[in-house]
Amino acid sequence: MTTSETSPHRFLPPEGSYAPAILLAWPHADTDWMPILDRVDRCYRDITEALTSLEIPVLIVHPDADEIRRSLPSTVAKSVMPFNFMTNDTWTRDYGQITVKDNDNWIACDFKFNGWGLKFAADRDNLVTSALHNAGIIGGGYEN
């Protein structure tokens, strides 16, 4: 059964269309970025500053996201929502929710990333979307 058969009004908005926030999984010591963590951290700070300067809210996922937020300049931190959670990796396009629209309702679709054919661990990453939903951060509908 195809999605159009179950809901003919459901569609995936194009990349670049409205999003209420940007999801960033911040690098930490238990990711592949460990050898250059200081440089990558600086890059993520620059990305976060650029997004918030455009008034785009940023949702940061990190084992100590509260500390990351506290370390940002106040003008940046006010547009950052921290979510304390352990991840395997930072590439949220591999495991973050895919949000579709069904009539006037937004639905966060959770899926399971296989770590490129089990080449890389993704067990923590695969819990991010459901944890955000269970915490009430991802609103609207939810499909697993």
Side-chain angles (χ1 to χ4, degrees):
M1 184 177 308
T2 66
T3 301
S4 60
E5 291 170 334
T6 58
S7 180
H9 302 287
R10 184 175 287 192
F11 74 98
L12 176 64
E15 188 171 5
S17 61
Y18 169 77
I22 299 295
L23 174 65
L24 283 182
W26 204 278
H28 54 83
D30 200 24
T31 63
D32 291 345
W33 298 110
M34 180 54 191
I36 57 170
L37 194 54
D38 289 344
R39 290 188 349 221
V40 174
D41 181 78
R42 180 70 252 159
C43 180
Y44 270 69
R45 289 173 187 281
D46 292 345
I47 291 168
T48 302
E49 187 172 333
L51 290 168
T52 59
S53 74
L54 297 171
E55 298 182 2
I56 300 171
V58 177
L59 171 58
I60 292 175
V61 178
H62 181 272
D64 194 358
D66 291 319
E67 179 57 34
I68 297 288
R69 182 173 186 260
R70 283 190 295 272
S71 72
L72 296 168
S74 61
T75 55
V76 174
K78 69 181 182 179
S79 297
V80 168
M81 175 185 280
F83 187 68
N84 298 319
F85 202 82
M86 180 64 88
T87 59
N88 301 100
D89 195 12
T90 56
W91 193 248
T92 58
R93 286 288 300 264
D94 283 343
Y95 59 84
Q97 78 275 3
I98 295 191
T99 306
V100 297
K101 194 165 188 182
D102 190 348
N103 293 315
D104 291 329
N105 301 311
W106 290 98
I107 300 168
C109 300
D110 195 357
F111 63 95
K112 299 305 173 213
F113 175 58
N114 71 3
W116 297 100
L118 304 178
K119 185 176 177 183
F120 301 101
D123 55 314
R124 299 172 187 157
D125 296 341
N126 281 325
L127 299 175
V128 170
T129 299
S130 61
L132 290 168
H133 174 72
N134 292 339
I137 294 169
I138 295 177
Y142 175 79
E143 292 182 3
N144 189 354

